[in-house]
Amino acid sequence: MKTDTIVLGAGIVGTSVALQLAERGRSVVLVDRRGPGEETSYGNAGLVERASLYPVAFPRKLSALLDVALKRNPAANYHWDALVRLVPWMFAYWRASAPARILDYARHMETLLAFSLAEHDRLARAAGAKHFFREGGWLKLYRTQAGLQNERNEFPLAHSYGLSAREIEVDEALAMEPSLRPVFRSAVIWSDPHSVSSPGGVTQAYAAHFAELGGQVRRGDAGILARLGSGWAVTTDEGSVEAPEVVVALGPWAMDVLRPFGLRLPLQVKRGYHMHYNATGGATLSRPVLDEEGGYVITPMVGGIRLTTGVEFARRDAPKSPVQLEKTEVLARGLFPLGARAEPEPWMGCRPAFPDMLPVLGPAPRQNGMWLAIGHQHLGFTLGPVSGRLLAEMMTGEVPCTDPRPFSAERFG
């Protein structure tokens, strides 16, 4: 089979790329070993995080570093056998987390975040997925004054971009979410972000709309991508597919495909876990809630109340080690009346990340006809549709919605 473009990876990013290209009249085959939205895009906290100008940065204070090193911070965990290989990447991550470079990150990231809500809204309406979405922002809770002060430091930058962050008292937070218990001493409501009740469901709806536009979704192993003359070929369950262009949107598995073609990009993964719970006593939750110092988020999902953990640095394919879930579940039960676990074992996924915390969006170096949409770290669900739009505009010769140069793979040399 011949097509205009092969898109490898049916997470929110790859599905959005495929859909944006199909809207522009391209024939596209979307290839994944699983169904759309069944890997990394299934397991996140479901936020369209419009206000995420500050990244999940590497700790700079010695006290914070010690908390991570001694595994006292429930938001972070690591495997010793992974650290040696990760040291160069983590040093680059530490350097990129310097205050001046954080401001550069915010300036570049805002050019994508500015389109995040509108692009999701447009695709959701076209795909019949609006019922998954809710407004109301998200609530951040603080157990200490120091934690609140760290959040206050973000307010000036947020307000300079017209974003709404408001410090509220415990009573107002409880009025918003009556089922919470007052184990915190302060809170902040960020009003701009939206959230969804099923990130996997949204991705599947976008993929279904892509198919309605004539796109094809096929099962296949992206690892056997091959050069075919001036184009590309991949084998699927329904036979070989050939195209002059290929988009690699494989998230944590991108380098498995890119290394054989000589590409050496500093992409690593941050692992994370989630579990669903039943709520007891008629308890309800209407928006995502972050327990900042507890290191977890609880959010209402189709499958129950989802608890998502922070970051685990480990080999991508190492066995699960959900120690963070065990720690944070205790804290979450003190905050909200969680009932029994609704699943037999924790879900684990990997967030693909570059050390500067920005994604790569654009052509692959030295590989004619290959395009990249990878490395969205904690913002894959937020940025999927706008990343798809930006890449589709570059591929079809349109004027890009924003300057793509900060997201070029060439920044790594």
Side-chain angles (χ1 to χ4, degrees):
M1 175 187 175
K2 296 184 184 297
T3 189
D4 294 331
T5 308
I6 300 166
V7 177
L8 302 179
I12 186 63
V13 175
T15 298
S16 295
V17 171
L19 178 52
Q20 295 272 10
L21 286 169
E23 288 182 329
R24 288 161 173 78
R26 290 286 183 94
S27 63
V28 183
V29 176
L30 179 62
V31 180
D32 201 305
R33 63 183 179 183
R34 300 187 66 181
E38 293 184 5
E39 289 280 8
T40 309
S41 296
Y42 165 75
N44 56 71
L47 276 158
V48 184
E49 229 302 52
R50 168 66 183 90
S52 193
L53 293 174
Y54 274 83
V56 179
F58 197 94
R60 302 283 296 185
K61 294 182 178 179
L62 179 59
S63 59
L65 283 169
L66 284 174
D67 283 343
V68 173
L70 298 175
K71 299 194 176 185
R72 296 188 302 223
N73 183 345
N77 187 42
Y78 60 87
H79 291 188
W80 283 106
D81 64 354
L83 290 188
V84 173
R85 181 175 56 84
L86 284 172
V87 164
W89 184 90
M90 294 182 80
F91 179 66
Y93 183 21
W94 177 81
R95 291 183 61 194
S97 299
R101 295 187 66 180
I102 291 292
L103 294 178
D104 289 336
Y105 167 93
R107 179 166 49 86
H108 297 318
M109 187 58 74
E110 170 61 14
T111 66
L112 294 177
L113 291 172
F115 295 94
S116 59
L117 293 178
E119 281 302 307
H120 257 298
D121 183 70
R122 187 181 69 80
L123 295 186
R125 290 181 186 279
K130 282 297 292 180
H131 62 284
F132 289 115
F133 285 76
R134 57 189 171 231
E135 299 181 11
W138 71 322
L139 194 61
K140 296 187 179 183
L141 309 180
Y142 299 90
R143 296 171 180 258
T144 67
Q145 188 63 29
L148 175 62
Q149 186 55 52
N150 288 336
E151 186 75 357
R152 285 173 175 162
N153 293 336
E154 298 186 14
F155 290 176
L157 181 64
H159 293 158
S160 73
Y161 284 105
L163 300 170
S164 176
R166 184 169 62 90
E167 187 177 335
I168 61 176
E169 299 296 329
V170 171
D171 288 347
E172 186 174 353
L174 296 177
M176 291 180 176
E177 298 295 345
S179 297
L180 297 180
R181 298 181 179 122
V183 296
F184 55 98
R185 59 185 297 175
S186 56
V188 172
I189 181 71
W190 289 80
S191 301
D192 299 284
H194 293 180
S195 61
V196 301
S197 60
S198 175
V202 171
T203 306
Q204 290 161 13
Y206 291 178
H209 182 50
F210 163 70
E212 291 172 353
L213 296 179
Q216 295 195 42
V217 180
R218 291 193 176 186
R219 297 288 181 100
D221 182 0
I224 54 175
L225 177 70
R227 265 288 185 190
L228 189 67
S230 60
W232 303 91
V234 67
T235 300
T236 74
D237 290 351
E238 300 175 51
S240 179
V241 180
E242 302 173 9
E245 293 186 304
V246 63
V247 177
V248 177
L250 287 165
W253 301 277
M255 295 310 300
D256 294 354
V257 171
L258 299 179
R259 285 192 195 95
F261 294 99
L263 295 175
R264 299 289 184 267
L265 299 176
L267 185 72
Q268 295 293 343
V269 301
K270 302 176 185 180
R271 305 203 316 179
Y273 299 84
H274 87 224
M275 173 58 71
H276 289 111
Y277 302 81
N278 301 309
T280 63
T284 60
L285 199 63
S286 61
R287 57 175 60 78
V289 174
L290 167 69
D291 181 348
E292 179 68 56
E293 288 135 314
Y296 65 91
V297 174
I298 53 173
T299 184
M301 291 283 181
V302 170
I305 302 298
R306 177 180 291 182
L307 188 159
T308 61
T309 70
V311 169
E312 180 179 70
F313 291 103
R315 290 178 289 110
R316 183 192 65 192
D317 300 326
K320 293 179 182 179
S321 54
V323 294
Q324 290 169 283
L325 186 64
E326 305 300 330
K327 292 179 181 179
T328 56
E329 182 180 298
V330 174
L331 296 170
R333 289 188 183 281
L335 175 67
F336 184 88
L338 296 175
R341 290 186 173 187
E343 296 164 311
E345 64 176 67
W347 177 91
M348 186 194 78
C350 298
R351 309 171 181 102
F354 289 105
D356 63 1
M357 298 163 282
L358 296 172
V360 163
L361 300 168
R366 304 175 301 280
Q367 294 295 329
N368 186 48
M370 177 184 281
W371 298 80
L372 306 177
I374 55 176
H376 289 76
Q377 41 113 10
H378 297 261
L379 295 175
F381 188 76
T382 296
L383 298 178
V386 64
S387 295
R389 172 180 170 178
L390 179 59
L391 200 68
E393 288 169 341
M394 286 190 280
M395 293 176 69
T396 58
E398 297 179 39
V399 176
C401 60
T402 190
D403 184 358
R405 287 176 295 181
F407 312 109
S408 169
E410 299 287 354
R411 71 184 190 265
F412 297 115

